[in-house]
Amino acid sequence: GGLCREMPKWISRQGSVVRVDLGGRGMRDAAAAVLAKVVAAALAQADLCPSLTVSLHLAGNRLKKAGAEALLESIAAAQPGLHVAFLDIERNRLGAEGVHWLSSWCLKQPGGPPEELLLSHNKVGDEALYRFLTAVGRHRASSSAACTPIWIEARMVAVRDIDGVLDRLSSSVP
């Protein structure tokens, strides 16, 4: 069940992880904006300690930048310092603009980017994927979390020349 009686069943705690499961609902940005308020209120009510992490499941929706932004920002609004350690945003409608926003969110969220980020089946494109991986990689290299591995899954993301993206990434590694 949920964290307490009033908590939606799709928000639960498993050890030190708060799981928010909104996956597979076909949700669009307008619904995400409404649910973001529910998420923020529920997490604020739960009085969670900052040592907990969040596992956010958004796969299988129809989210674009606005919906992803509303839901991710709702966690920070509810409990400053709460870290999203796992983000599954596969099979949505994030385009280059959404992934650009996601990279800036990854860099500013407490604790840096999630340790695991599933981005597959979104229309990201070559340039947006390159910029995303570069930004996250540079942040990890310059932070104290650099020794923590990060897993990014990005299959079927509308990349036309994966070899070109990987060559560009390889050439920018010091």
Side-chain angles (χ1 to χ4, degrees):
L3 288 170
C4 60
R5 277 187 215 142
E6 298 82 27
M7 194 68 56
K9 291 200 185 294
W10 41 267
I11 300 178
S12 60
R13 183 168 170 187
Q14 299 167 342
S16 64
V17 177
V18 176
R19 180 181 168 92
V20 179
D21 188 353
L22 291 168
R25 298 170 191 268
M27 174 176 38
R28 296 177 189 265
D29 289 351
V34 172
L35 282 174
K37 293 175 185 173
V38 174
V39 169
L43 292 178
Q45 171 192 344
D47 193 30
L48 304 170
C49 63
S51 65
L52 296 175
T53 61
V54 175
S55 177
L56 184 58
H57 300 261
L58 301 174
N61 286 298
R62 297 176 181 167
L63 299 176
K64 296 180 182 174
K65 175 189 172 276
E69 181 176 0
L71 289 164
L72 287 164
E73 292 292 343
S74 73
I75 292 167
Q79 292 282 333
L82 211 51
H83 175 72
V84 176
F86 175 86
L87 175 60
D88 183 354
I89 196 158
E90 292 184 320
R91 298 182 323 275
N92 275 283
R93 296 188 175 165
L94 289 183
E97 179 187 15
V99 171
H100 175 70
W101 178 85
L102 186 61
S103 68
S104 66
W105 172 83
C106 282
L107 304 183
K108 74 176 185 177
Q109 90 146 327
E115 286 77 39
E116 191 169 347
L117 197 151
L118 309 179
L119 189 61
S120 297
H121 300 278
N122 282 288
K123 294 189 184 218
V124 176
D126 296 44
E127 189 61 27
L129 181 63
Y130 170 76
R131 288 181 182 202
F132 176 78
L133 294 173
T134 300
V136 170
R138 283 191 180 137
H139 180 270
R140 299 292 284 192
S142 68
S143 75
S144 60
C147 60
T148 305
I150 184 170
W151 176 266
I152 299 173
E153 193 170 294
R155 294 175 290 124
M156 308 297 287
V157 290
V159 171
R160 293 181 186 190
D161 181 13
I162 190 62
D163 290 332
V165 172
L166 293 174
D167 286 346
R168 285 177 67 198
L169 284 169
S170 296
S171 68
S172 64
V173 173

